[in-house]
């Protein structure tokens, strides 16, 4: 061996292709990313108009075959080998093109027996085909008794051929034969993945899409979108105007999106570093996985960076990271200095990245405050509502009759205790409202949406209320005690019998919870008085 000549062993191929990513579905992202770059070039060259592009994903589970095809520039026959066989030798521009490292296109090698590239370039009467023997590649890499250089392996596992093609055609096609991973053939799973990862438009069903587009227009922002299809069905980002949870295999709405708010930060030179939007809802808790688009997502060139949990890191405290799933939303990195790393699970380390993190953590601090404000407001209002519920319970007892004097006294004590809590809750409510006002919180316009519904109606004759600058203080004025056995239905019983019945009711109340005692007393009452 000549120690003066550097050598690159075959294992580097595995590191750059077969072992690069954790989620096998990344290969769809890589092929769509490459197609999108070529669509941009095709539009500039006048081969197609924007909107005429088609990036088609065909998944055939029965044949275990995947095809990703676009109608962009294709590759001319003289450049097929230099571009498609070389690894990490891309001609794309860093910070401009969506893909630029020249490794993503070979990711499929780990999941099929053959990886095939077919392409045609406008003006040429041939289509070029390059076949990668993925099985042979794996065998060579796994053969620990033979040492080979990476370049030798690349030549050994690839074959080049051509066939006649129309001069006017231009396309690029990726074919995976004998796909080995079932996850890649799960059409629904792939669709769910690409709807959030791929550079597509927001679904028209999302009520606030036009507001987001208007914000972009006002600030001179663009968002790359492409016509992408899975088995002929076009995909869109699946944002919804309601928040759902599982319901016996289906779903039910538990909250609603009432508005969207925006973020925009510039660097020291006044150039936009990033912008974004996030939903305003009742902020009642984390969105369940039933909501496919849940969470704040990070994107570059409208392609998702990382997964749905990527933005958790921007909350300063670990206990606040849950708030990322309180929202739908997107953070679009604009600065050319924010460059996705090779795994595309975050940005490469840089001065710009550090500046980005410093700024976005300030924005996420505001998101944290929104969640706490909504929680504090809702808790205070619940306490106030609870006071009214107890007063309504007493009113009902005054009309129907108490089981015993003890029951009346316990309810009175319960009300007095709750009234003290309500007084503190009103003070807390005012503090929260003042904080929202001072900070111009977007929640101010939607307080009704975060206020729990009261189960009570109007005040009874035994209750009075007075207002002190909007701070209501409730005063309960007890009525003359009326017992349950005083009702006309008990008129045929003697005073002693009524007293005995009352003692029985009281014993039942003392030894059973309300949920059990009340139905039992009602049943006894019905039997006695019918």
């Amino acid at each position: 061996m000549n120690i003066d000549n550097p050598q690159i062993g075959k294992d580097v191929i595995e590191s750059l292709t077969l072992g690069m990513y954790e989620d096998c579905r990344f290969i769809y992202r890589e092929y769509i990313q490459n197609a999108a770059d070529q669509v941009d070039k095709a539009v500039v060259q006048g081969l197609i108009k924007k909107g005429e592009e088609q990036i088609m994903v065909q998944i055939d589970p029965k044949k275990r075959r995947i095809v990703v095809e676009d109608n962009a520039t294709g590759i001319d026959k003289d450049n097929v080998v230099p571009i498609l066989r070389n690894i990490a030798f891309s001609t794309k521009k860093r910070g401009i093109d969506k893909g630029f490292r020249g490794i993503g296109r070979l990711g499929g090698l780990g999941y099929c027996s053959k990886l095939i590239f077919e392409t045609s370039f406008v003006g040429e009467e041939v289509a070029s085909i390059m076949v990668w023997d993925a099985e042979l590649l794996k065998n060579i890499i796994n053969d620990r008794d033979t040492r080979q250089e990476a370049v030798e392996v690349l030549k050994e596992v690839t074959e080049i051929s051509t066939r006649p093609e129309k001069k006017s055609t231009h396309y690029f096609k990726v074919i995976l034969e004998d796909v080995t991973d079932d996850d890649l053939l799960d059409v629904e799973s792939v669709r769910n993945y690409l709807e959030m990862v791929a550079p597509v438009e927001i679904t028209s069903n999302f009520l606030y899409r036009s507001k987001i587009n208007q914000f972009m227009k006002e600030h001179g922002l663009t968002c790359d979108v492409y016509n992408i299809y899975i088995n002929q069905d076009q995909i869109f980002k699946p944002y919804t105007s309601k928040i759902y949870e599982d319901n016996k295999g289906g779903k039910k709405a538990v909250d609603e999106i009432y508005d969207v708010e925006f973020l925009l930060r510039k660097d020291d030179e006044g150039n936009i570093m990033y912008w974004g939007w996030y939903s305003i809802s009742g902020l009642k808790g984390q969105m369940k996985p039933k909501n496919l688009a849940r969470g704040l997502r990070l994107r570059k060139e409208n392609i998702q960076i990382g997964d749905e949990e990527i933005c958790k890191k921007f909350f300063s405290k670990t206990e606040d990271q849950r708030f990322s799933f309180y929202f739908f939303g997107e953070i679009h990195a604009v600065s050319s200095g924010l460059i996705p790393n090779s795994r595309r699970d975050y940005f490469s380390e840089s001065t710009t990245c550090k500046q980005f993190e410093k700024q976005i953590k300030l924005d996420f601090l505001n998101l944290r405050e929104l969640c706490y404000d909504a929680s504090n407001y809702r808790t205070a209002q619940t306490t106030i509502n609870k006071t009214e519920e107890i007063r309504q319970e007493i009113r009902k007892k005054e009309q129907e009759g108490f089981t015993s004097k003890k029951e009346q006294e316990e309810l009175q004590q319960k009300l007095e205790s709750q009234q003290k809590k309500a007084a503190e809750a009103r003070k807390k409510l005012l503090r929260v409202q003042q904080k929202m006002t001072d900070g111009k919180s977007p929640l101010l316009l939607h307080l009704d949406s975060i206020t729990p519904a009261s189960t009570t109606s109007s005040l009874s004759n035994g209750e009075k209320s007075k207002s002190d600058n909007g701070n209501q203080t409730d005063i309960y004025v007890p009525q003359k005690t009326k017992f349950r056995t005083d009702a006309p239905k008990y008129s045929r019983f003697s005073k002693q019998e009524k007293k005995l019945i009352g003692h029985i009711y009281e014993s039942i109340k003392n030894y059973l919870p309300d949920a059990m005692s009340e139905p039992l007393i009602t049943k006894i009452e019905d039997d006695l008085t019918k």
Side-chain angles (χ1 to χ4, degrees), residues 340-494:
N341 62 25
S342 58
R343 292 172 62 92
R344 205 176 177 89
D345 57 7
Y346 195 52
F347 299 121
S348 298
E349 186 174 342
S350 67
T351 302
T352 304
C353 185
K354 291 179 180 178
Q355 188 179 9
F356 163 77
E357 290 177 344
K358 180 179 179 181
Q359 294 294 336
I360 202 167
K361 285 180 179 179
L362 295 176
D363 286 324
F364 274 58
L365 182 61
N366 292 332
L367 295 178
R368 168 191 182 275
E369 291 304 302
L370 286 180
C371 296
Y372 276 115
D373 287 346
S375 177
N376 290 334
Y377 189 93
R378 185 162 39 249
T379 300
Q381 195 65 57
T382 298
T383 301
I384 295 169
N385 289 351
K386 181 64 176 177
T387 308
E388 180 65 17
E389 290 170 10
I390 296 173
R391 296 207 320 292
Q392 288 283 43
E393 183 181 0
I394 293 175
R395 185 184 73 169
K396 182 179 179 182
K397 290 291 183 180
E398 288 175 339
Q399 294 172 347
E400 297 177 352
F402 292 94
T403 302
S404 64
K405 185 68 175 177
K406 180 182 177 182
E407 181 184 48
Q408 182 188 29
E409 290 172 351
E410 287 178 346
L411 282 173
Q412 174 63 22
Q413 291 172 0
K414 185 178 180 182
L415 176 61
E416 290 173 356
S417 174
Q418 188 63 33
Q419 284 176 328
K420 293 178 182 179
K421 295 177 182 178
E424 290 301 315
R426 289 193 180 90
K427 294 177 183 178
K428 182 177 181 179
L429 205 62
L430 289 174
R431 290 196 298 269
V432 174
Q433 287 178 315
Q434 188 61 53
K435 179 186 174 187
M436 290 181 185
T437 302
D438 294 343
K440 299 180 180 179
S441 171
L443 293 179
L444 279 173
L445 298 175
H446 310 285
L447 289 181
D448 288 345
S449 69
I450 61 175
T451 302
S454 174
T455 59
T456 61
S457 55
S458 60
L459 299 178
S460 69
N461 292 332
E463 301 155 88
K464 296 180 182 179
S465 66
K466 62 182 180 179
S467 179
D468 180 14
N469 295 325
N471 184 9
Q472 179 178 303
T473 303
D474 302 308
I475 300 175
Y476 168 70
V477 181
Q479 303 293 293
K480 180 181 177 181
T481 304
K482 175 184 177 182
F483 294 106
R484 191 163 188 156
T485 53
D486 291 334
K489 65 175 73 175
Y490 290 91
S491 60
R492 66 185 176 88
F493 294 99
S494 67

Side-chain angles (χ1 to χ4, degrees), residues 275-334:
W275 70 276
W277 64 269
Y278 59 92
S279 61
I280 296 295
S281 66
L283 297 174
K284 297 176 181 178
Q286 288 189 335
M287 298 181 190
K288 301 297 188 295
K290 196 74 174 179
N291 304 277
L292 294 178
R294 70 174 186 156
L296 296 164
R297 311 289 183 117
L298 184 59
R299 308 182 78 87
K300 182 69 186 286
E301 282 95 21
N302 201 23
I303 300 175
Q304 184 171 290
I305 302 292
D307 58 18
E308 62 183 12
E309 302 200 12
I310 186 66
C311 287
K312 284 185 174 182
K313 66 175 71 177
F314 302 136
F315 288 102
S316 299
K317 297 182 179 180
T318 302
E319 61 266 28
D320 294 335
Q321 292 183 355
R322 68 188 189 278
F323 293 139
S324 182
F325 284 156
Y326 278 53
F327 302 91
F328 289 140
E330 299 179 348
I331 308 298
H332 289 265
V334 176

Side-chain angles (χ1 to χ4, degrees), residues 150-255:
V151 174
E152 295 175 358
V153 174
L154 293 180
K155 291 179 180 179
E156 187 174 346
V157 301
T158 56
E159 291 182 359
I160 309 296
S161 63
T162 61
R163 68 163 184 267
E165 186 58 275
K166 293 180 181 179
K167 197 173 183 179
S168 59
T169 59
H170 47 93
Y171 61 84
F172 188 85
K173 185 185 299 186
V174 181
I175 304 170
L176 282 73
E177 300 281 7
D178 301 320
V179 175
T180 57
D181 197 308
D182 290 340
D183 289 340
L184 291 174
L185 299 170
D186 185 333
V187 178
E188 182 179 1
S189 173
V190 173
R191 179 180 290 109
N192 291 343
Y193 172 79
L194 286 179
E195 282 177 339
M196 289 310 304
V197 171
V200 294
E201 178 64 275
I202 294 172
T203 176
S204 59
N205 294 331
F206 187 55
L207 295 178
Y208 303 98
R209 184 175 80 163
S210 59
K211 185 172 183 178
I212 295 170
N213 289 337
Q214 182 61 31
F215 176 85
M216 292 170 55
K217 182 178 179 181
E218 290 173 357
H219 292 84
L221 300 165
T222 58
C223 190
D224 295 341
V225 294
Y226 302 86
N227 296 323
I228 301 176
Y229 303 81
I230 298 179
N231 290 3
Q232 282 75 53
D233 294 328
Q234 189 169 2
I235 62 171
F236 301 90
K237 293 175 188 171
Y239 293 110
T240 58
S241 300
K242 293 186 182 298
I243 299 171
Y244 298 95
E245 67 178 21
D246 290 316
N247 182 32
K248 299 178 180 179
K251 63 181 181 180
K252 70 173 182 178
V254 293
D255 202 352

Side-chain angles (χ1 to χ4, degrees), residues 102-152:
I103 57 178
R105 67 177 175 275
L106 299 182
L109 285 170
Y111 306 98
C112 62
S113 64
K114 281 186 170 52
L115 176 64
I116 304 168
F117 299 128
E118 295 184 4
T119 183
S120 176
F121 192 76
V122 69
E124 296 183 345
E125 296 181 332
V126 298
S128 301
I129 302 106
M130 175 177 286
V131 179
W132 287 73
D133 191 329
E135 286 296 325
L136 177 58
L137 175 61
K138 293 171 191 173
N139 291 336
I140 292 173
I141 291 175
N142 292 330
D143 181 1
R144 309 319 298 170
D145 296 327
T146 304
R147 300 179 65 180
Q148 286 180 269
E149 285 198 55
V151 174
E152 295 175 358

Side-chain angles (χ1 to χ4, degrees), residues 485-495 497-498 501 524-530:
T485 53
D486 291 334
K489 65 175 73 175
Y490 290 91
S491 60
R492 66 185 176 88
F493 294 99
S494 67
K495 185 176 181 180
E497 289 173 329
K498 290 181 182 179
I501 294 171
I524 294 173
E525 184 176 61
D526 291 342
D527 290 343
L528 287 173
T529 59
K530 64 182 179 181

